[in-house]
Amino acid sequence: MNRQTPVLSPGFIAVALILVVVAALPLLVDSDYFLSYTINVLQYGALATAWAMFSGPTRYISLATTAFFGIGAYTVAVLSESLPWAGVLLVAMVVGIVLALIVGLSTLRLSGVHFVIFTFGLAELVRQLVTWYEVNITKSIGRYIFLDITQEQIYWQLLALLSLALLFGWLIRRSRLGLALRVIGEDELVARHLGVNTTRAKVLLFVISATFMTLVGAVMSPRWTYIDPAIVFNPIVSFQVLIMSLLGGAGHLLGPLAGVIPLTALFEVLSANFPNHFALLLGVTFLVIVYFVPNGVLELVRGWLRASKNKGQGGHHESS
């Protein structure tokens, strides 16, 4: 009896080749602005892909992104002078996992608007706790980061995290865990009746997603010379990641990237030209996306292609 050898799809190979090309861009394009902009794209690409990894199949809307991002950044600020870079990233990952386990085990029994509110409150709670610690224990409001890490190295590390997030997402979608999560997203009660351990499945994927977010925050932290809670625990980051994922389509592996690329450019323009009204314009963008493309751009395109194909087949039948 012959076993079928899994064959990589053309889409998978195409994405891998694109990532290789993207990795070479800093060597081909000598522009500080281009490098800075693409770092932002990779940052949000990795965050949105990690967010959709959990929220896409389960349909749990999380606003805790900035909590894990900030924890990763602050871990680097605290330990950067006492540990090598690899050790700092390892500690940041462990801290993120522990926090995600605590949050997951205590909150993933909630659903709907209760989960949204709790995750938003969690991010604010973590920010306030870090602020209290800095003011009352260290007697300062922020920290300086002095690391010999170049912008190119940050670029490649973010690209590595994005590539790993895409790989994890691809593998999970083809696993029993991915199937269980899709059933949970359709109807959690039915999933329980089918014997799915819903709590374990949700917590496991929440931890994986949060780990990537924490590492993105850690990798981004050397980009700032100085950080404080207001910078790294900015709630707008959570909303931007949410909007980007929804625009592209959180239910598709590449959906978040389809939202990140255009919205990163849009937010760059808005923040540069309308800094005092950025939050308002962000809210308007969110409303427009939810109203006109609730299932994401990729699902909209897929619907158009399906309708066009059906129309073509209908015309063929009529002519025959």
Side-chain angles (χ1 to χ4, degrees), residues 13-288:
I13 296 173
V15 171
L17 291 175
I18 290 171
L19 291 174
V20 171
V21 172
V22 172
L25 287 180
L27 303 175
L28 302 174
V29 182
D30 186 15
S31 169
D32 291 338
Y33 175 78
F34 175 81
L35 184 61
S36 176
Y37 175 74
T38 48
I39 284 176
N40 282 336
V41 173
L42 291 174
Q43 170 195 346
Y44 282 108
L47 288 174
T49 301
W51 183 91
M53 190 186 299
F54 169 76
S55 295
T58 62
R59 302 183 184 180
Y60 277 58
I61 304 300
S62 171
L63 292 176
T65 301
T66 190
F68 296 106
F69 180 89
I71 285 294
Y74 250 94
T75 301
V76 172
V78 172
L79 299 177
S80 60
E81 295 183 4
S82 56
L83 288 176
W85 181 237
V88 174
L89 292 181
L90 180 61
V91 173
M93 184 175 69
V94 171
V95 172
I97 289 173
V98 171
L99 178 61
L101 280 171
I102 294 172
V103 173
L105 290 172
S106 60
T107 66
L108 286 174
R109 299 181 187 278
L110 301 172
S111 60
V113 68
H114 301 94
F115 182 76
V116 178
I117 293 171
F118 188 94
T119 53
F120 181 76
L122 167 72
E124 183 62 21
L125 174 64
V126 173
R127 184 174 76 88
Q128 293 297 336
L129 287 174
V130 172
T131 302
W132 179 89
Y133 180 84
E134 294 287 68
V135 171
N136 294 280
I137 305 300
T138 66
K139 306 301 181 181
S140 66
I141 194 61
R143 293 174 181 266
Y144 288 93
I145 300 176
F146 299 107
L147 287 171
D148 189 20
I149 296 178
T150 65
Q151 296 294 297
E152 287 83 0
Q153 289 172 326
I154 293 174
Y155 178 98
W156 285 316
Q157 289 174 33
L158 288 173
L159 180 61
L161 285 175
L162 173 58
S163 302
L164 282 174
L166 289 171
L167 178 60
F168 267 76
W170 185 77
L171 293 173
I172 289 170
R173 284 168 179 269
R174 285 154 178 77
S175 68
R176 294 181 62 184
L177 173 61
L179 176 60
L181 290 163
R182 287 192 293 273
V183 176
I184 291 171
E186 293 295 332
D187 193 318
E188 193 162 340
L189 186 59
V190 170
R192 292 196 191 101
H193 286 317
L194 291 174
V196 176
N197 187 331
T198 57
T199 300
R200 183 173 63 184
K202 289 187 295 183
V203 169
L204 177 59
L205 197 57
F206 186 76
V207 168
I208 295 173
S209 171
T211 301
F212 278 106
M213 295 175 182
T214 305
L215 287 173
V216 172
V219 169
M220 282 294 293
S221 60
R223 202 178 182 202
W224 298 295
T225 305
Y226 172 85
I227 67 170
D228 61 40
I231 294 174
V232 295
F233 292 103
N234 188 346
I236 288 181
V237 171
S238 292
F239 286 102
Q240 285 180 302
V241 169
L242 169 61
I243 295 170
M244 291 170 173
S245 300
L246 292 181
L247 174 61
H252 299 272
L253 180 61
L254 299 179
L257 291 179
V260 165
I261 293 171
L263 285 185
T264 301
L266 175 63
F267 294 155
E268 186 93 357
V269 172
L270 293 179
S271 60
N273 294 282
F274 308 99
N276 296 327
H277 302 91
F278 181 75
L280 174 63
L281 295 172
L282 185 68
V284 171
T285 304
F286 179 70
L287 292 176
V288 169

